[in-house]
Amino acid sequence: MCGFIKSLSSKTENFSILKEKERERIYSQLQKNLETDNSPIVTTQKERQLVERVENKTKINNVNNVTRTKAYLEFFNRNPEIHWAFLAHMVSRNGGYHMTDLRGTLVGGLLDEEKRVDLFHFLEHANYLIFQDAYPQLLLYEESKQNNSSYFYLLKLLHISKFMYTAWEYFFKTKNSAFITYSLITNEQNYIEKHLFSTKGIKSSLFHTLAFVIQEKLGFTHVIFPYKRNLFSTNYSLAGLEIHDFSSIQKRINIGKCLYSILFSKKYYKSCLKFATNQPHTASRSDYWPHIFSLTSYNSAKSYSPPLEVAWGNIQNKSPSTVDWFQDINQIKDFDRYLSYIQADITKNVLSDVKFLSTLNKIIH
């Protein structure tokens, strides 16, 4: 099991989500992928039109955190076998909460404007990059499913990693939802490691700034999944994890697997999905705790948590390079190893952080 409360340990159950022969075959194919050339592929007009539609749909939905979060859920509702899409929706909701925290009363008041802007740009670009890479894959899968014919060879035209070609082909044949989820988690974290975390200045400066220290050390680094413990519950409880040391790629991958095990557990899945379905995402924390957070700054009895459209305007993100992150088989070693987490209710921990930050703000101001 994942044995972390505040820091992530590497205690995993030592078995794969794949059968041994399947695992050997997949790793063998992944090694072959690394050895193939990168020459362009010849396409038909129909294929080029499909790629163009995928690119256009991605661009339309990749405007901001709210549009991305909505797109993930809509895709999941059409394709519930792609568990990752719902996980991405819920994690993207959290990304939005962290963005608006920077303009709210609990965290925003502890930072100067330059730090708030820097941290928002970092969060927004990470959110943008993951969607830019993952959503085209989802759309190609949906097209393949509808036509009962694989279009995954077109991933190359969309600059998707060679790693995902093998993953999608295997999933298309087996419908192993856990496998494609683990694959997408591995891909997304390696992708942002290549195109964001390894960018000049990120690891050397951002993770050592006051902004990041406050986010990590003073609370609100939880990834939360609102759910109701029973039908008669008035307020949402929170399942999830408290995240630390986000700069480590392996820990981010492990966190993703543990969050997946929580979200799709019998205890939380139906209630979390009901929340997501019934509560449109605004990026304000009042979406799940309106008794504590307010959408407006006029309610002094509650903490101000603005919607995204009030907190931040849309920004133009820079397109990433087309260099494939997958260059060595060791990068994905044991990506299929099972990981889960049991102690998932963090309601008391989050409430404690809210109270602490409220007190800290009163002292400072």
Side-chain angles (χ1 to χ4, degrees):
M1 299 295 175
C2 257
F4 62 89
I5 298 297
K6 288 201 172 184
S7 63
L8 186 66
S9 78
S10 58
K11 296 178 181 177
T12 67
E13 295 192 30
N14 192 30
F15 64 86
S16 170
I17 57 174
L18 299 168
K19 294 180 180 179
E20 191 59 35
K21 288 185 178 180
E22 291 176 320
R23 187 173 192 267
E24 291 175 2
R25 188 160 54 248
I26 286 172
Y27 274 83
S28 176
Q29 184 58 55
L30 287 169
Q31 183 61 53
K32 289 180 181 178
N33 288 357
L34 288 171
E35 298 165 0
T36 59
D37 64 58
N38 293 312
S39 58
I41 63 173
V42 178
T43 56
T44 65
Q45 182 178 3
K46 181 180 178 181
E47 290 168 332
R48 290 192 294 274
Q49 289 173 340
L50 171 56
V51 169
E52 186 176 353
R53 288 200 305 274
V54 167
E55 290 176 329
N56 287 338
K57 287 182 180 179
T58 301
K59 184 177 181 180
I60 289 170
N61 288 291
N62 203 5
V63 175
N64 57 44
N65 171 262
V66 171
T67 61
R68 295 171 201 129
T69 307
K70 181 181 178 182
Y72 284 136
L73 184 60
E74 289 176 344
F75 177 88
F76 177 72
N77 287 336
R78 298 192 304 268
N79 307 277
E81 68 276 17
I82 307 296
H83 294 176
W84 183 88
F86 184 43
L87 176 63
H89 168 81
M90 295 301 286
V91 173
S92 188
R93 278 185 180 252
N94 281 265
Y97 301 148
H98 291 306
M99 291 176 191
T100 59
D101 285 344
L102 299 170
R103 293 295 191 199
T105 52
L106 287 185
V107 174
L110 303 175
L111 306 171
D112 62 38
E113 179 63 11
E114 182 180 358
K115 294 295 191 300
R116 287 196 294 266
V117 171
D118 285 348
L119 193 50
F120 165 71
H121 279 224
F122 170 76
L123 293 168
E124 161 64 15
H125 197 52
N127 203 237
Y128 164 86
L129 285 174
I130 291 172
F131 190 90
Q132 185 71 15
D133 185 70
Y135 197 63
Q137 298 180 54
L138 302 183
L139 294 179
L140 270 190
Y141 164 72
E142 193 167 41
E143 190 75 22
S144 299
K145 175 183 170 183
Q146 290 172 356
N147 290 279
N148 196 29
S149 179
S150 171
Y151 287 101
F152 301 118
Y153 58 93
L154 296 176
L155 289 170
K156 185 174 183 179
L157 294 181
L158 292 160
H159 309 296
I160 308 300
S161 176
K162 292 178 180 180
F163 170 73
M164 288 309 302
Y165 174 77
T166 296
W168 279 113
E169 286 288 354
Y170 176 78
F171 173 75
F172 198 55
K173 296 174 183 176
T174 65
K175 299 298 184 288
N176 185 330
S177 295
F179 171 79
I180 198 62
T181 300
Y182 275 31
S183 299
L184 284 163
I185 289 170
T186 301
N187 176 72
E188 72 178 65
Q189 294 306 328
N190 277 282
Y191 185 78
I192 62 172
E193 181 73 16
K194 175 69 176 178
H195 298 292
L196 179 62
F197 286 89
S198 296
T199 302
K200 184 179 179 181
I202 293 295
K203 282 192 173 179
S204 62
S205 61
L206 181 67
F207 290 115
H208 299 288
T209 63
L210 174 63
F212 193 80
V213 169
I214 287 177
Q215 284 289 94
E216 183 165 272
K217 303 303 181 185
L218 299 186
F220 271 40
T221 50
H222 305 93
V223 176
I224 58 98
F225 299 150
Y227 77 101
K228 290 194 174 180
R229 291 176 179 169
N230 56 64
L231 294 174
F232 307 104
S233 297
T234 303
N235 299 322
Y236 284 102
S237 297
L238 304 178
L241 295 174
E242 184 175 353
I243 310 302
H244 286 260
D245 195 11
F246 194 70
S247 61
S248 165
I249 181 173
Q250 189 55 56
K251 288 185 179 180
R252 295 198 309 270
I253 291 171
N254 289 349
I255 286 166
K257 291 180 179 181
C258 288
L259 289 171
Y260 173 47
S261 74
I262 294 169
L263 187 60
F264 280 83
S265 67
K266 291 181 179 179
K267 185 175 182 179
Y268 302 117
Y269 171 69
K270 288 184 179 179
S271 186
C272 288
L273 182 58
K274 187 174 183 179
F275 163 78
T277 302
N278 294 339
Q279 177 57 59
H281 175 62
T282 71
S284 167
R285 291 189 183 271
S286 66
D287 287 355
Y288 64 89
W289 271 357
H291 59 296
I292 293 177
F293 297 98
S294 172
L295 277 168
T296 68
S297 58
Y298 307 115
N299 192 332
S300 59
K302 299 179 182 180
S303 295
Y304 177 47
S305 181
L308 185 72
E309 62 184 9
V310 172
W312 301 100
N314 298 335
I315 65 172
Q316 189 69 38
N317 284 284
K318 293 181 180 179
S319 298
S321 73
T322 58
V323 177
D324 193 341
W325 63 262
F326 184 42
Q327 301 293 329
D328 190 313
I329 198 71
N330 288 321
Q331 289 177 278
I332 51 90
K333 183 180 180 182
D334 294 336
F335 82 93
D336 54 302
R337 292 299 180 186
Y338 176 75
L339 217 60
S340 70
Y341 192 76
I342 294 177
Q343 299 173 347
D345 189 294
I346 56 173
T347 309
K348 290 182 179 179
N349 292 348
V350 176
L351 278 171
S352 177
D353 279 353
V354 169
K355 291 177 182 178
F356 173 75
L357 288 170
S358 296
T359 301
L360 184 62
N361 270 285
K362 289 176 183 178
I363 293 172
I364 293 177
H365 298 102

